Amino acid sequence: MEALQAVKDMFPRMSNSELMAPVDNVTVSTEKLRLRLMEEGLSEGAIQDSEQIMRTEFAALQSQLVLLKQKHSILIDTLRQLETEKVDLENTVVDESQRQWNDEEASSRLAQEKFSGTASESEDDNERNDAAEEETDDDDNAFFDTRDILSSSSFKSNGSDYRVSSFSSDDAGFYAFESEDDVDPSIRYVGTNYPHVKWRKKLPDPVEKEKGVSLWSMIKDNIGKDLTKVCLPVYFNEPLSSLQKCFEEMEYSYLLDQAYEWGRKGNSLMRILYVAAFAISGYASTEGRVCKPFNPLLGETYEAHYPDKGLRFFSEKVSHHPMIVACHCEGTGWKFWGDSNLKSKFWGRSIQLDPVGILTLEFDDGEVFQWSKVTTSIYNLILGKLYCDHYGTMRIQGNQEYSCKLKFKEQSIIDRNPHQVHGIIQDRNGKTVSTLFGKWDESMHYVNGDYTGKGKGHESLSDARLLWKRSKAPKFPTRYNFTRFAITLNELTPGLKEKLPPTDSRLRPDQRYLENGEYDMANSEKIRLEQRQRQARKMQESGWKPRWFAKDKASGTYRYIGGYWEARQRGNWDSCPDIFGQIPPDHISDEGQITL
């Protein structure tokens, strides 16, 4: 209601009586004109004629203004009507999509037919000789209805059917891991043979009752500005930092374990297919996530050691303006690193986030893949249901035999099947050898050959095979729509706090208060830390450098220089400042600024 009132105040209505007021109601003074003409010595008749001409011209001008006001009123009413119809249409689409999904879920329980055929390392001998038409980034005709295909009776697997191993049961963990029954067992169980770790399954119960705040009232004056520079109350945050969000994209790291094993067996095509599935899977957790992560302080870090995933991860905020976070992850047979800078714009009813940076994946055998992320937008900030969408083209470049092109389809308000992703795998000669399709918030499948051309049938897509499927929802939902994996990211397990450096995100007080539901304390701490952070630019200009990363002059990206895990083992954090602590009184000037 506050948002509607704010919009209404921006476009005030004029009553019909005001719009249609007669010209005679407007009084136009001619006194100054009469005095000037009398000074010139004109006769009374000429003066009266001049006054009448002036009144006539003003009357004509007001008539034009009345017409413009009428058109303005009609346009505003039309805009309001269209907005109302848009919201109704969105609600209808959501209801219809939910109904179709429920129907498919019911029908999937009756479907028992397995996938037929095995994965092929070469192309079909009967592959068509006619080359597919050249693709462009703006060509949407290559997108077919993924849901219709996945729900067909001849298709192997349905998005609502989870075959979860005992490893991913509610008592054992939070991974919805699955693979085809006829896959090589040495590949099928890769990623499941790690030691079990017991993680929490829910966030703490909130101490206080949450207070409602109008988002529109906070950001309506910041249209067109960089959102990273807009200070919002803590109520619009989720209890995770951007550093932790980077690690959240590693939830399905078992896909990289499988990619590594496929490469070891000499199957480079299957390797890049699983790499592509991993690149897409990082977006799955964003569905329904409309709260903003905490902006890390300069020098803030985050570590993640997950023995049950066979990896360890480390990230650090390496620059304040522009805001850049760098990360480094080590898994079984692979390393992953990159830095990320988000350029954001607020356009009144939506927020657009354009990622800047390159992600690099290197396997122990020397094969390297690089890609950049696609654009993300959050819609309906003022009116309607908030939702996010990812769209654009992602190119995964390999240094050996194959490369991949993935197209994230932009959602429209009448799209009955949103979140679609289609892609192709090409060899060195540019020939398409495999096709991917699915949805970034559900699952991805592949089929050998090129099925992206216009007019081609989808009968052979029944042979498509599953690459990845999203994990099950948590048993205890949160207001932030966290996944089971996300719930664990800020957890302080027994004995962990004593091993962490004072810069770790888990020790950030405003974030911890928010997770505990202590909203007043969280907000006051956020304000305190933002005051401290205002000096970050001066710190950079005075020669501050990140502790664990260095900028590579050749590529311009930040690379991990090592030493963190060794310092952790020794418990030596002397080089890490207490960035979350209280500011010493002698470091605050009379004007309230922090002195360095």
Side-chain angles (χ1 to χ4, degrees):
M1 293 304 296
E2 293 179 10
L4 290 173
Q5 186 61 45
V7 175
K8 183 177 180 181
D9 294 340
M10 292 174 64
F11 304 101
R13 290 179 183 239
M14 303 243 354
S15 65
N16 291 333
S17 59
E18 291 176 310
L19 287 172
M20 303 305 295
V23 177
D24 294 341
N25 290 349
V26 178
T27 302
V28 179
S29 175
T30 61
E31 185 63 27
K32 292 183 179 180
L33 178 62
R34 169 176 285 275
L35 293 176
R36 183 70 180 87
L37 295 178
M38 289 177 64
E39 292 177 359
E40 294 295 330
L42 271 67
S43 65
E44 180 64 24
I47 293 176
Q48 291 181 0
D49 290 342
S50 299
E51 290 178 328
Q52 185 58 38
I53 292 172
M54 179 178 174
R55 293 189 184 97
T56 302
E57 291 296 326
F58 270 94
L61 178 61
Q62 189 192 14
S63 297
Q64 295 179 15
L65 291 175
V66 168
L67 292 176
L68 290 175
K69 288 181 179 179
Q70 290 176 320
K71 292 180 180 180
H72 175 267
S73 177
I74 293 173
L75 286 174
I76 293 300
D77 288 340
T78 303
L79 177 62
R80 291 189 174 107
Q81 182 179 358
L82 288 174
E83 183 66 30
T84 301
E85 293 176 354
K86 172 180 175 291
V87 174
D88 292 341
L89 182 58
E90 286 177 342
N91 293 334
T92 301
V93 171
V94 172
D95 294 341
E96 179 64 19
S97 298
Q98 185 62 42
R99 184 190 65 77
Q100 291 182 4
W101 180 258
N102 291 339
D103 292 345
E104 292 167 14
E105 188 173 24
S107 63
S108 69
R109 297 190 183 100
L110 304 177
Q112 300 294 333
E113 186 174 351
K114 291 279 188 180
F115 274 130
S116 60
T118 60
S120 175
E121 299 183 21
S122 61
E123 300 211 359
D124 192 341
D125 294 337
N126 297 323
E127 180 183 6
R128 302 179 184 183
N129 294 325
D130 56 319
E133 297 183 24
E134 183 178 358
E135 290 189 335
T136 63
D137 290 346
D138 297 328
D139 182 14
D140 289 335
N141 293 324
F143 283 89
F144 44 81
D145 197 331
T146 305
R147 175 165 290 175
D148 288 348
I149 295 172
L150 296 180
S151 61
S152 64
S153 59
S154 62
F155 198 70
K156 295 182 183 183
S157 177
N158 188 284
S160 61
D161 179 26
Y162 286 94
R163 289 203 319 273
V164 185
S165 68
S166 59
F167 177 80
S168 62
S169 67
D170 286 338
D171 295 331
F174 42 74
Y175 308 99
F177 181 93
E178 66 175 284
S179 61
E180 301 304 328
D181 292 337
D182 54 355
V183 172
D184 186 339
S186 64
I187 297 293
R188 187 193 314 166
Y189 297 109
V190 168
T192 66
N193 54 350
Y194 296 120
H196 168 63
V197 176
K198 186 175 182 179
W199 300 98
R200 66 181 182 182
K201 298 181 177 63
K202 58 178 295 187
L203 295 181
D205 294 328
V207 176
E208 304 171 7
K209 184 177 180 181
E210 186 180 2
K211 300 177 181 178
V213 181
S214 169
L215 177 61
W216 173 247
S217 65
M218 299 301 302
I219 59 180
K220 64 181 179 181
D221 297 327
N222 296 289
I223 296 176
K225 296 182 180 179
D226 186 348
L227 193 67
T228 59
K229 300 178 182 178
V230 178
C231 296
L232 298 176
V234 74
Y235 311 107
F236 300 115
N237 288 95
E238 62 181 17
L240 292 177
S241 74
S242 296
L243 301 172
Q244 293 165 305
K245 291 280 285 185
C246 288
F247 178 61
E248 189 176 3
E249 297 180 11
M250 305 300 298
E251 177 175 359
Y252 303 97
S253 61
Y254 69 82
L255 294 170
L256 299 183
D257 296 339
Q258 292 183 320
Y260 172 66
E261 288 297 327
W262 279 116
R264 286 183 61 193
K265 292 179 176 294
N267 195 329
S268 298
L269 177 58
M270 290 303 299
R271 170 174 281 188
I272 193 172
L273 282 168
Y274 276 90
V275 170
F278 170 78
I280 297 169
S281 69
Y283 293 98
S285 63
T286 63
E287 173 63 12
R289 298 276 286 278
V290 295
C291 290
K292 183 177 181 290
F294 280 86
N295 184 11
L297 275 63
L298 188 63
E300 186 173 335
T301 63
Y302 176 72
E303 71 160 60
H305 185 206
Y306 277 58
D308 50 338
K309 297 174 71 67
L311 59 78
R312 61 183 187 181
F313 170 95
F314 180 73
S315 58
E316 180 182 10
K317 180 174 179 179
V318 296
S319 175
H320 187 63
H321 285 293
M323 202 282 275
I324 301 177
V325 296
C327 68
H328 180 87
C329 186
E330 300 173 358
T332 304
W334 54 267
K335 294 180 180 178
F336 175 84
W337 68 86
D339 55 36
S340 176
N341 173 25
L342 280 179
K343 291 186 176 180
S344 60
K345 287 288 186 179
F346 172 56
W347 298 115
R349 296 193 306 170
S350 66
I351 298 173
Q352 178 179 323
L353 305 172
D354 295 308
V356 178
I358 297 176
L359 304 177
T360 302
L361 171 66
E362 181 180 5
F363 290 99
D364 286 356
D365 55 18
E367 188 166 13
V368 178
F369 296 96
Q370 290 185 321
W371 66 91
S372 296
K373 305 187 71 175
V374 297
T375 297
T376 297
S377 288
I378 300 175
Y379 298 96
N380 289 344
L381 294 177
I382 302 175
L383 190 63
K385 182 179 179 181
L386 279 172
Y387 70 93
C388 73
D389 190 26
H390 310 287
Y391 53 90
T393 300
M394 176 187 292
R395 290 178 172 84
I396 304 177
Q397 300 293 340
N399 67 341
Q400 295 189 13
E401 189 172 356
Y402 297 107
S403 62
C404 176
K405 178 181 178 182
L406 298 169
K407 297 174 70 175
F408 290 65
K409 183 180 180 182
E410 185 173 4
Q411 180 179 349
S412 65
I413 62 173
I414 60 174
D415 195 347
R416 69 186 182 93
N417 189 15
H419 307 166
Q420 291 192 65
V421 181
H422 288 184
I424 56 174
I425 305 296
Q426 294 179 315
D427 61 17
R428 294 175 180 175
N429 300 320
K431 182 179 181 180
T432 298
V433 296
S434 189
T435 304
L436 300 93
F437 61 94
K439 304 177 74 173
W440 53 258
D441 63 331
E442 289 183 5
S443 61
M444 288 299 298
H445 296 75
Y446 79 95
V447 63
N448 289 326
D450 184 1
Y451 291 89
T452 60
K454 301 176 183 178
K456 291 189 176 182
H458 302 137
E459 60 277 0
S460 298
L461 290 178
S462 59
D463 293 329
R465 307 183 64 80
L466 179 69
L467 284 170
W468 159 79
K469 180 174 285 186
R470 181 180 179 179
S471 296
K472 293 192 298 183
K475 184 178 181 180
F476 303 97
T478 67
R479 68 171 288 266
Y480 310 104
N481 286 321
F482 279 176
T483 62
R484 289 188 287 173
F485 182 59
I487 290 175
T488 70
L489 299 183
N490 202 47
E491 181 179 3
L492 277 172
T493 54
L496 177 60
K497 184 176 181 179
E498 292 73 18
K499 299 179 181 179
L500 294 175
T503 55
D504 194 277
S505 296
R506 296 180 184 87
L507 306 180
R508 179 167 175 160
D510 52 353
Q511 185 172 303
R512 183 60 59 184
Y513 280 127
L514 178 61
E515 181 181 279
N516 293 335
E518 300 177 73
Y519 304 110
D520 290 338
M521 286 297 297
N523 206 49
S524 61
E525 282 295 299
K526 185 172 186 288
I527 294 173
R528 179 182 68 83
L529 292 176
E530 285 176 349
Q531 179 186 11
R532 185 175 185 133
Q533 185 69 355
R534 290 190 183 100
Q535 298 300 311
R537 172 174 287 182
K538 293 183 179 179
M539 292 172 59
Q540 280 188 247
E541 293 173 351
S542 62
W544 181 92
K545 293 184 181 298
R547 174 64 182 85
W548 309 105
F549 288 83
K551 195 169 187 178
D552 182 69
K553 294 181 179 180
S555 62
T557 61
Y558 285 88
R559 295 292 303 273
Y560 176 60
I561 59 177
Y564 175 84
W565 298 103
E566 292 77 9
R568 185 184 193 271
Q569 186 174 8
R570 297 191 305 266
N572 182 8
W573 303 120
D574 295 340
S575 61
C576 299
D578 183 12
I579 60 175
F580 305 131
Q582 293 290 339
I583 306 169
D586 58 345
H587 284 198
I588 303 179
S589 65
D590 294 337
E591 292 78 15
Q593 297 295 320
I594 304 171
T595 58
L596 302 177

